[in-house]
Amino acid sequence: MTAKELQKELTWEFPDVAKAAPDQVKAAYDFAEGYKDFLGKAKTEREFTEESVKLLDEAGYRPIEKGKTYQPGDKVYYVNRGKSLIMTTFGKKPMEEGLRLNAAHIDSPRLDLKAQPLFEKDGIAYFKPHYYGGIRKYQWVTVPLAMHGVFVKKDGSVIKLNVGEEPGDPMFLITDLLPHLGAKQNGKKLTEAITGEDLNIVVGSLPFVDDSDEKIKEPVKLKALELLHEKYGVTERDFLRAEIEFVPAAKPVDIGFDRSMIGGYGQDDKVCAYPALIAEIEAKDPEYTTVTVLTDKEEIGSEGNTGLNSDYMLHYIEDLAAAYRADVREVLRNSICLSSDVGAAFDPTFPQVFEKNNSAFLGKGVSLIKYTGSRGKSGSNDASAELMNRIMNILDDHNVMWQAGELGKVDEGGGGTVAKFVAGKDINVVDLGVPVLCMHSPFELTSKMDVYSAYLAYKAFYD
């Protein structure tokens, strides 16, 4: 055997998706159009849940009825507090043989408003935010922002807000220093140049005026409140019972002359959640019962009763098992879950933080990540060799383009996913998601080929 023959036999390189599967290029571009449209309409976890339910209703899903038994192929869903969602297509195999779960998160880094956010300073009205998730604060200044969320009135009625997304809408902005006066700021560390308390959102500069000569305290703030009251019927006190999020106002767009990439806010982790949603809808006659989870709060540790550190998914599975008189411990033990979260794509501009041999690359397919965590695998699930073998075989048998990846060099940092919380329920789980450039920034970058590979991977998993 020659050296070249031996090399071909014993070594392996990740294929380039476009070269290895040229027939998939058009399909990937077509799939990306649906993804971009959905991403532009569903920038928050509430909106993603609401838009998903519309698709589920159209596809014949119905709200699950506790205690009811269903036939193979039946489709149901459960909405948790308007901010997370579970979907199921019932399979042919007994429940005790396990479920096929896919868990992605639909929250993204953003700017939440504080409980009493509105203030005026030197003739300008501002909102005071508290950032949510891991952001690089300097990236959020001078970026056009949109206002999303809900007010809940005293009588329990809910008022939805979405300002800055439609043509003609006003937008909002966080200011930064002009370079002419930024010498001292330039000398600071990136983490100190813009602080959390500097992220004040400009919302107005016009003062309230009337025919009286009375001197009004904070007239610009009052004008902003007047406009909010005219539009939504809310007062300053209503901010105490509101969930308001500020997100980048830009729409998802194609990037590059070849239109091979997608740029947009919130792709971590909606770039996995959308393919998971579509794969679930298209699961018509699965062998195993599917459970697709679109969850909240991952960016802050999966906390709260809409995050996977709670037991809402476990309670759902317990209800399924009880309806079929199945031992829920057997169901959990025999289940397999994909933690569908994004990975860090290798960035040629900043190669020093990546270990190239173990990095995922843009355009080379969905990324299979054995473990996440920080440094010594802290906070990791670390999938078993047996599970890795099963998932690799599924991907290979269905000709899904995939690659392996890690989150940078060992001591550069790290991060986690929902995998460890799923594993804590005695479920076999591994991370499988889309590589992303500029992760957690106001405008993230993905490859259309990778997004489509994720969709094919999730379909194969449910097949």
Side-chain angles (χ1 to χ4, degrees):
M1 185 178 288
T2 67
K4 283 190 176 181
E5 291 172 334
L6 187 65
Q7 187 177 48
K8 185 177 180 180
E9 179 74 19
L10 298 182
T11 63
W12 180 61
E13 292 183 1
F14 301 119
D16 183 284
V17 179
K19 292 180 180 177
D23 58 312
Q24 291 185 10
V25 175
K26 183 180 185 306
Y29 278 51
D30 290 343
F31 187 82
E33 291 306 304
Y35 167 59
K36 287 188 300 179
D37 178 68
F38 197 92
L39 183 63
K41 293 185 296 187
K43 290 186 176 181
T44 71
E45 66 283 0
R46 284 182 180 270
E47 292 167 348
F48 203 102
T49 299
E50 186 175 322
E51 292 297 326
S52 296
V53 168
K54 291 178 184 177
L55 293 185
L56 295 177
D57 288 338
E58 291 173 4
Y61 285 73
R62 295 294 177 261
I64 192 167
E65 298 178 39
K66 185 175 180 179
K68 180 178 177 179
T69 56
Y70 293 87
Q71 298 302 311
D74 286 348
K75 291 174 173 287
V76 298
Y77 66 87
Y78 164 71
V79 178
N80 179 19
R81 298 169 171 89
K83 294 189 285 187
S84 55
L85 176 67
I86 304 179
M87 302 147 277
T88 286
T89 302
F90 288 90
K92 293 177 284 189
K93 289 187 178 293
M95 199 73 67
E96 285 94 338
E97 293 193 28
L99 308 167
R100 293 296 176 265
L101 297 103
N102 192 354
H105 70 90
I106 53 177
D107 62 316
S108 298
R110 60 181 189 253
L111 302 177
D112 288 346
L113 287 191
K114 293 189 176 184
Q116 299 184 77
L118 190 58
F119 71 99
E120 178 180 336
K121 188 173 183 180
D122 297 323
I124 297 179
Y126 297 94
F127 276 145
K128 176 70 75 173
H130 192 303
Y131 62 90
Y132 172 98
I135 69 169
R136 306 189 79 184
K137 293 182 278 292
Y138 75 89
Q139 294 179 337
W140 287 73
V141 299
T142 70
V143 172
L145 300 173
M147 181 180 182
H148 294 239
V150 295
F151 284 104
V152 177
K153 299 301 294 292
K154 186 176 181 179
D155 62 3
S157 59
V158 176
I159 300 170
K160 297 179 183 178
L161 293 92
N162 188 321
V163 184
E165 299 289 355
E166 298 300 324
D169 274 3
M171 297 181 187
F172 309 91
L173 194 73
I174 299 168
T175 61
D176 193 11
L177 275 175
L178 60 162
H180 314 68
L181 300 177
K184 288 185 178 179
Q185 185 190 52
N186 291 342
K188 294 181 179 181
K189 296 178 181 178
L190 279 178
T191 55
E192 298 171 353
I194 299 292
T195 69
E197 295 296 342
D198 291 333
L199 297 174
N200 298 315
I201 303 168
V202 175
V203 299
S205 64
L206 189 68
F208 179 88
V209 292
D210 61 15
D211 295 332
S212 71
D213 293 328
E214 294 181 67
K215 186 171 178 60
I216 301 171
K217 182 182 179 183
E218 298 183 316
V220 181
K221 172 184 171 179
L222 183 59
K223 183 65 178 180
L225 282 171
E226 180 194 32
L227 294 171
L228 280 167
H229 187 264
E230 287 178 356
K231 179 74 173 177
Y232 301 105
V234 298
T235 68
E236 186 171 21
R237 188 179 183 187
D238 289 319
F239 281 98
L240 293 166
R241 46 184 174 227
E243 288 182 8
I244 307 297
E245 305 171 14
F246 277 80
V247 300
K251 298 291 186 183
V253 295
D254 290 341
I255 298 293
F257 290 120
D258 54 7
R259 297 180 176 269
S260 62
M261 295 165 287
I262 301 165
Y265 163 74
Q267 297 201 73
D268 177 7
D269 181 39
K270 298 176 184 71
V271 75
C272 296
Y274 178 78
L277 170 66
I278 301 303
E280 163 63 43
I281 289 174
E282 294 181 359
K284 302 301 182 186
D285 193 28
E287 290 293 314
Y288 296 88
T289 294
T290 71
V291 175
T292 303
V293 184
L294 304 182
T295 193
D296 184 23
K297 296 292 191 290
E298 190 277 341
E299 296 295 358
I300 58 170
S302 296
E303 306 295 351
N305 53 18
T306 55
L308 276 187
N309 198 15
S310 76
D311 286 337
Y312 80 87
M313 183 185 77
L314 175 61
H315 295 162
Y316 180 90
I317 296 172
E318 288 174 337
D319 288 344
L320 289 182
Y324 290 85
R325 293 181 173 84
D327 183 346
V328 69
R329 294 183 181 181
E330 282 296 306
V331 175
L332 294 168
R333 192 175 299 119
N334 292 326
S335 294
I336 299 175
C337 180
L338 299 181
S339 168
S340 297
D341 205 344
V342 299
F346 181 85
D347 192 333
T349 303
F350 305 102
Q352 64 275 13
V353 298
F354 295 91
E355 198 268 287
K356 201 169 183 179
N357 284 342
N358 288 285
S359 294
F361 290 79
L362 220 62
K364 292 187 178 293
V366 67
S367 178
L368 182 61
I369 305 172
K370 186 179 188 297
Y371 52 83
T372 55
S374 302
R375 298 176 174 85
K377 297 186 179 180
S378 174
S380 172
N381 159 62
D382 205 352
S384 69
E386 291 84 356
L387 180 59
M388 290 290 290
N389 178 59
R390 293 182 73 174
I391 300 303
M392 288 167 62
N393 285 339
I394 290 173
L395 299 176
D396 290 342
D397 291 346
H398 289 78
N399 298 313
V400 177
M401 294 298 166
W402 65 277
Q403 55 186 318
E406 289 185 12
L407 194 61
K409 288 182 177 179
V410 173
D411 286 329
E412 285 292 339
T417 65
V418 300
K420 69 175 184 178
F421 304 110
V422 176
K425 308 290 191 290
D426 196 19
I427 297 172
N428 297 301
V429 57
V430 65
D431 284 285
L432 184 71
V434 176
V436 175
L437 284 172
C438 312
M439 190 191 298
H440 281 213
S441 76
F443 203 75
E444 298 165 315
L445 194 63
T446 58
S447 160
K448 292 181 179 179
M449 300 305 296
D450 298 339
V451 178
Y452 189 64
S453 293
Y455 158 72
L456 294 178
Y458 304 153
K459 275 182 65 70
F461 179 65
Y462 282 158
D463 191 347

